[in-house]
Amino acid sequence: MGQLVERGHELTQLPADADVLVVNTCSFIDPAKQESIDTILEMAEYKKTGRAQKLIVAGCLVERYRDQIREQLPEVDAVLGTNELPKIVALCEGVEAPANPFEPYLYHDLTPRVLSTARHYAYIKIAEGCDHPCSFCVIPQYRGQFRSRRFESVVVEATRLFAQGVREINLIGQDTTSYGEDLGLKDGLAQLMARLAQIETPHAKWIRFLYCYPNRITQKLLDTIAEHAALVKYIDMPLQHASANVLKRMKRGSHGDFFLKLLERIRATIPGVAIRTSMIVGFPGETEADFQILQDFVKAAQLDRLGVFSYSDEDTSASFHLDGKVDGRTIHNRKRKLMAVQRRISRARNRKLIGHEVDVLVEGPSEESDLLWQGRMSTQAPDIDGVCYINDFGDVAPRAGEIRRMRIAEAHDYDLVGGLIDAPEQQMPAASDPFPILAATR
Ligand code: SF4
């Protein structure tokens, strides 16, 4: 989007108005592939009914099914793989695309960018690719070997985003905890977080990283999070399972007892930390006994947030060839059971927060009701965790992007409700937003 805007093209979210339609696809698991294909077919209709002249398909589906898309979807005019992003302008303009000398692709601080999130928070990708061999995962095939962005490139981008008025930055990558290893940095992620915490901003800022690999979490990283106020006390660490048998078949290794000790160390080092994980149920060979180990682990771990995924059998993954496939009904039931265990834990943890005062980043009027506003504590990551509903803010409506003090009055399974108890923040002029089109429509 950044490259197109820089060339003077206008972006629209209304497909009927577009001259060129670009569908960015995912092909991680079957439902994502299906959604991608459905969207391509839906967008193709606009070539008949709208003003669209061209339909371009980009992203991971192209990496996996480039030839099939070309052969079986004649409505598609061009495809763009994950390493070919610099060709997007040429494809949209219908001119010869230059060969890309920079493969494999890795964006940097000079890559033009349009924020597709609301203007108070942003994601920064600090690395691309993954060298782990998880047998269920096809991401390394599509995204390639692990490679880090330069340290200063991330710092410059974060500094610019904060100057634009962004209050919360979330560092992402397929494996954030390996950041800097290929650059020869020791404890690269800890160094990066410490440096980002020092960026001067007129207001408080939040910085977190997501998707860390459990055995890459160093004591130095934990100490760094504990040390800096701007570093959010939040660890997102997909564990995938707790049974040693299943973890071995997943080619991730380790076991529930190791994870429990790690959780203990994280909590001892970072008081008040919220821990999120995700688990996969129904992995090939997962027995009732394995599932019981997983349930026992979730009860013992008392995690703040848990995502449960049903195993999806992808013909390109190593696990596709494993025996002991679990049937769909069992997978569905195990997911339901595990979520029920976590719902009770989450509700109990939320209830303990009633009466507490916390900082919330105000996000705007709630999507649930006209009477409420919505915000998040720093321990609620955007787009994935629960939220805080604001039901009382006095006479002056809060502004999206403010960090305010809220007293929690009610607790639900995943969300909290409360009222603001402080005065509005003093408004600071943000640097002008060079790409206001999308931000204004969110
Ligand atoms: S660490 Fe994550 S991205 Fe890498 S192979 Fe495992 S699941 Fe996939």
Side-chain angles (χ1 to χ4, degrees):
M1 291 194 294
Q3 290 176 52
L4 289 164
V5 169
E6 192 185 45
R7 274 282 294 188
H9 295 291
E10 190 183 339
L11 303 178
T12 175
Q13 294 186 336
L14 302 174
D17 290 352
D19 298 311
V20 180
L21 298 155
V22 182
V23 180
N24 196 21
T25 60
C26 177
S27 90
F28 187 38
I29 52 174
D30 274 340
K33 283 183 213 165
Q34 194 54 52
E35 190 183 338
S36 297
I37 292 166
D38 291 347
T39 309
I40 294 167
L41 295 176
E42 188 190 330
M43 290 301 117
E45 286 300 305
Y46 287 96
K47 283 176 72 180
K48 296 180 204 152
T49 59
R51 55 185 282 171
Q53 307 287 315
K54 200 175 283 185
L55 173 59
I56 297 173
V57 174
C60 286
L61 197 74
V62 175
E63 293 297 324
R64 171 74 183 90
Y65 298 107
R66 184 181 291 265
D67 293 340
Q68 290 91 327
I69 294 172
R70 284 202 174 119
E71 283 160 21
Q72 294 166 25
L73 294 171
E75 306 89 334
V76 175
D77 298 285
V79 292
L80 187 76
T82 53
N83 275 317
E84 301 171 310
L85 295 192
K87 293 181 181 172
I88 183 72
V89 172
L91 289 184
C92 286
E93 293 178 351
V95 298
E96 180 81 8
N100 175 20
F102 302 117
E103 289 195 13
Y105 181 73
L106 187 60
Y107 93 88
H108 51 77
D109 54 300
L110 298 177
T111 310
R113 187 177 171 193
V114 172
L115 287 189
S116 56
T117 47
R119 55 174 81 213
H120 54 272
Y121 77 97
Y123 295 95
I124 293 184
K125 192 171 248 192
I126 59 171
E128 186 65 82
C130 180
D131 293 342
H132 290 289
C134 306
S135 59
F136 55 84
C137 182
V138 293
I139 287 177
Q141 292 171 44
Y142 303 153
R143 295 281 165 168
Q145 284 188 323
F146 179 83
R147 53 214 187 263
S148 304
R149 278 179 62 183
R150 280 185 310 105
F151 193 93
E152 275 310 313
S153 167
V154 179
V155 174
V156 168
E157 185 179 10
T159 306
R160 189 165 59 226
L161 288 170
F162 282 134
Q164 269 174 232
V166 166
R167 303 294 298 269
E168 173 189 3
I169 282 179
N170 299 279
L171 305 182
I172 54 168
Q174 279 85 32
D175 174 19
T176 48
T177 27
S178 294
Y179 176 77
E181 280 180 13
D182 52 330
L183 304 176
L185 293 176
K186 182 160 164 33
D187 274 313
L189 182 60
Q191 287 190 44
L192 182 65
M193 293 288 280
R195 175 68 185 84
L196 297 180
Q198 284 156 14
I199 296 172
E200 289 194 15
T201 54
H203 286 308
K205 59 183 178 296
W206 291 354
I207 303 161
R208 90 177 81 229
F209 60 92
L210 298 168
Y211 321 136
C212 58
Y213 199 87
N215 67 9
R216 299 293 172 102
I217 295 182
T218 62
Q219 188 57 37
K220 173 82 181 160
L221 180 59
L222 300 178
D223 290 340
T224 305
I225 297 167
E227 192 182 323
H228 298 271
L231 303 186
V232 171
K233 311 309 173 215
Y234 183 95
I235 298 285
D236 170 43
M237 177 176 62
L239 296 174
Q240 314 298 10
H241 214 281
S243 153
N245 292 334
V246 177
L247 285 164
K248 191 171 172 198
R249 295 191 119 212
M250 287 178 166
K251 289 203 184 307
R252 289 178 64 90
S254 201
H255 51 83
D257 285 346
F258 172 84
F259 294 154
L260 287 176
K261 287 198 183 94
L262 177 59
L263 294 174
E264 217 172 275
R265 188 155 61 88
I266 293 171
R267 287 171 169 145
T269 310
I270 312 172
V273 67
I275 303 175
R276 175 181 186 87
T277 195
S278 53
M279 298 291 188
I280 296 174
V281 291
F283 189 79
E286 183 192 64
T287 61
E288 272 305 322
D290 292 319
F291 181 62
Q292 190 58 50
I293 290 172
L294 179 56
Q295 284 190 88
D296 292 346
F297 173 82
V298 168
K299 284 178 196 160
Q302 293 288 304
L303 296 157
D304 300 83
R305 331 249 179 259
L306 171 71
V308 181
F309 294 89
S310 303
Y311 172 75
S312 172
D313 210 13
E314 301 302 317
D315 55 3
T316 42
S317 70
S319 56
F320 181 75
H321 304 283
L322 293 176
D323 56 6
K325 293 282 156 65
V326 181
D327 67 274
R329 177 177 284 271
T330 306
I331 293 179
H332 176 78
N333 286 337
R334 287 180 183 172
K335 179 176 177 177
R336 223 171 24 91
K337 265 191 194 165
L338 201 58
M339 282 311 294
V341 171
Q342 179 61 23
R343 193 174 307 116
R344 284 191 289 276
I345 294 170
S346 177
R347 195 186 310 139
R349 293 182 81 81
N350 273 355
R351 279 195 185 140
K352 285 191 191 151
L353 291 173
I354 293 176
H356 284 237
E357 292 175 10
V358 294
D359 285 340
V360 289
L361 176 58
V362 177
E363 303 233 80
S366 161
E367 287 156 15
E368 300 292 315
S369 157
D370 291 348
L371 303 173
L372 299 172
W373 274 55
Q374 198 169 302
R376 281 183 292 111
M377 302 185 293
S378 61
T379 50
Q380 293 170 317
D383 306 320
I384 183 90
D385 290 338
V387 296
C388 291
Y389 291 109
I390 303 166
N391 63 2
D392 182 7
F393 44 76
D395 298 333
V396 186
R399 284 188 302 263
E402 285 183 304
I403 295 181
R404 299 282 301 273
R405 202 79 185 144
M406 178 177 121
R407 184 175 296 123
I408 297 169
E410 275 176 53
H412 297 273
D413 288 350
Y414 302 111
D415 302 321
L416 295 157
V417 184
L420 299 184
I421 53 171
D422 61 349
E425 276 183 351
Q426 218 183 337
Q427 191 96 3
M428 294 284 177
S432 64
D433 184 346
F435 306 120
I437 314 156
L438 287 187
T441 56
R442 293 283 300 199

